[in-house]
Amino acid sequence: MFIPGAAITAVTFPGVVVHEFAHQLFCRMFGVAIFEVKYFQFGNPAGYVIHEPVRNPVHQLFIGIGPFFVNTILAALIAFPAALPLTLGEASFIDYLLLYLAVSVGMHAFPSTGDASSIWNGLIRGENTPLWLKAITAPVVGLIYLGALGSMVWLDLIYGMAVAMGFPAVLMQLVI
Amino acid sequence: MELNEMTPVAGVGTDGCARCGSPAYEADYKIKLCAPCRRDMSRYPVKRSVLWAAVGVAVLMLLSFYRFPEVFKARRSYERALNLEKEHKYMSAEQELLKTLQRYPESLKASAHLMIAAFHNGHLELADSISNHWAGVSSKEDDELISRVNDLLSSMKYYNFEDDSFAVKYTSLKTDTPALKAALLQYTQEQPNDVMAAYLLADQYYDEEDYQRSDSILQIVIKEAPDFHPAYGLLASAYREQKKFKEATAACYQLLNRNAESVAGNITLATILLKQHQDQEALKKAQAAYAWAPNSTAIMKTLALAYHFNNQDKACNEVLSNIRQSADTSGLAHTLDIIKGNITYRD
């Protein structure tokens, strides 16, 4: 069944908001001036953060991939207490609501192709980028594009569900 | 998405901060901004609506974390029970599932697993009460689990007489041993496939010390109904009394392979080991069984014997004292006779 990407994005808009917030957070951490933040809109892109060109190329990398960490951690945190009763078939309305939020947030953990493009332009084409950083960045950008490709086969949803439900299950096996 | 922009900001001045015009702008940046303006612009305000939504999510998370300790314990017990079940440690699994069901009494999955554990532990009343509670409920959640429960329900029929009227007759004849045996003989000829009746007849032969006849019936029972667990313990005991210790041990392990924490399996094995003078091993088995069912007089009697043969008289006397205080003191005199040396228990 084909579901338009825009519809999926609309349904999972909390993830978009957190994704943009993550970019914003890393800009703030590195003292990068921000000109505009759009947390969510019906359109392409669904959200964006416009900031000044970054002086330190490492900062550019972290601003670009920041959502991967923030969205993943937040999704796991939201989901963990809600996912535990699910296996027992005893999840409440609040649990389901939190799981929806967690899956939405987890789904949007992957940096977008727009993010990949910014990282590529800022780092690979950057004059001041050291070679070792370029060597790290190139596969990261490759992975981002692979992730974008994977979203055509619901990789983003699978990742969101893995973080929201798989992670608590694995953790429980470790603590018992 | 994040975008690098050379977007000019308000208050452009070619030789000063692009925002406030201050000449003390930071060098090495593509956009000229003084440090306070850059810091200020990096702290771009988060929209009020986003903040309120975050507060809402935080409240939901707080609610969720408030009951987290209980939920965590219940889920941990459930996961432990599943692992214990895989290891066929049904006594421990049952205890863990009871903890889970304290928090989630209506959990179908936990109930189904408890029913399986209770059945293997011989706690048939508990298994039966669970099956009655969930009778008629359909679930598409876990086909494998439901199939196991259905198999178990089929096996539970072995624990009852096929003919209900005989159950009444059996109860009425319980105190009249010869009449009871005659009735069982007649009934098993009429109903040769009745597992419960065959088992009780074998038990009668065992009580009469006709161990050969008892074990031959029990071997057929186990072949026909391998899920009828009481037969293994009685078969092992029948072999033990014939001094066929190898066969007796094998029968115990048949049961212990089905339920590593089987009280009957462990306690019968303990008595077989005692008969073979393997007293330390016997004590370990008796102690394990006692830990799972501390109120069982049968276990306490074996434990007392194990302590006695290990020369732990103080512990032995404590157990004997516990038996005297329990509701069921049957067989205590026999145990005391063994301890006092009035009966020869082993070669």
Side-chain angles (χ1 to χ4, degrees), chain A residues 96-163:
Chain A
Y96 281 116
L97 190 59
L98 286 171
L99 282 171
Y100 151 71
L101 284 169
V103 173
S104 299
V105 171
M107 261 184 90
H108 290 278
F110 287 165
S112 63
T113 50
D115 297 331
S117 172
S118 288
I119 294 169
W120 187 265
N121 291 330
L123 276 87
I124 303 293
R125 290 185 178 162
E127 294 161 7
N128 302 325
T129 311
L131 194 63
W132 65 266
L133 189 56
K134 285 186 179 179
I136 292 172
T137 305
V140 169
V141 172
L143 282 173
I144 295 172
Y145 277 107
L146 269 179
L149 208 64
S151 69
M152 287 156 64
V153 287
W154 300 98
L155 185 66
D156 46 0
L157 176 65
I158 292 166
Y159 182 77
M161 291 180 76
V163 171

Side-chain angles (χ1 to χ4, degrees), chain A residues 24 49 51-52 95 118, chain B residues 1-4 38 44 67:
Chain A
Q24 184 185 358
V49 173
H51 59 80
E52 67 170 328
D95 293 325
S118 288
Chain B
M1 189 165 97
E2 51 99 20
L3 299 165
N4 287 310
R38 175 161 280 111
Y44 191 92
R67 53 193 189 115

Side-chain angles (χ1 to χ4, degrees), chain A:
Chain A
M1 185 177 66
F2 175 73
I3 303 171
I8 296 162
T9 306
V11 171
T12 59
F13 76 95
V16 180
V17 174
V18 174
H19 182 107
E20 302 314 329
F21 174 76
H23 286 311
Q24 184 185 358
L25 186 71
F26 276 85
C27 284
R28 183 178 174 137
M29 274 167 58
F30 297 131
V32 174
I34 298 168
F35 303 126
E36 190 185 354
V37 177
K38 180 65 82 178
Y39 291 103
F40 180 74
Q41 65 178 6
F42 290 102
N44 191 13
Y48 56 83
V49 173
I50 302 173
H51 59 80
E52 67 170 328
V54 179
R55 187 175 55 168
N56 185 337
V58 176
H59 292 175
Q60 175 63 64
L61 180 63
F62 276 99
I63 292 168
I65 63 172
F68 182 74
F69 301 110
V70 173
N71 282 51
T72 300
I73 292 167
L74 196 63
L77 201 65
I78 293 171
F80 190 60
L84 296 186
L86 196 69
T87 305
L88 294 161
E90 291 291 317
S92 65
F93 174 73
I94 291 176
D95 293 325
Y96 281 116
L97 190 59
L98 286 171
L99 282 171
Y100 151 71
L101 284 169
V103 173
S104 299
V105 171
M107 261 184 90
H108 290 278
F110 287 165
S112 63
T113 50
D115 297 331
S117 172
S118 288
I119 294 169
W120 187 265
N121 291 330
L123 276 87
I124 303 293
R125 290 185 178 162
E127 294 161 7
N128 302 325
T129 311
L131 194 63
W132 65 266
L133 189 56
K134 285 186 179 179
I136 292 172
T137 305
V140 169
V141 172
L143 282 173
I144 295 172
Y145 277 107
L146 269 179
L149 208 64
S151 69
M152 287 156 64
V153 287
W154 300 98
L155 185 66
D156 46 0
L157 176 65
I158 292 166
Y159 182 77
M161 291 180 76
V163 171
M165 283 173 273
F167 170 71
V170 171
L171 202 66
M172 285 309 298
Q173 284 299 320
L174 293 176
V175 297
I176 57 171

Side-chain angles (χ1 to χ4, degrees), chain B residues 222-233:
Chain B
I222 288 171
K223 198 176 171 191
E224 293 299 313
D227 287 335
F228 186 74
H229 298 137
Y232 295 93

Side-chain angles (χ1 to χ4, degrees), chain B residues 82-100:
Chain B
L82 295 193
N83 285 349
L84 289 162
E85 195 184 291
K86 280 179 200 156
E87 295 167 19
H88 294 194
K89 292 180 176 172
Y90 289 106
M91 285 299 266
S92 303
E94 185 179 318
Q95 283 163 15
E96 292 294 342
L97 287 162
L98 286 169
K99 286 181 204 167
T100 302

Side-chain angles (χ1 to χ4, degrees), chain B residues 158 195 215-228 231-232 235 254 258:
Chain B
Y158 296 135
V195 170
D215 84 44
S216 61
I217 293 172
L218 289 164
Q219 283 180 57
I220 296 165
V221 167
I222 288 171
K223 198 176 171 191
E224 293 299 313
D227 287 335
F228 186 74
Y232 295 93
L235 178 62
Q254 264 187 293
R258 293 173 157 267

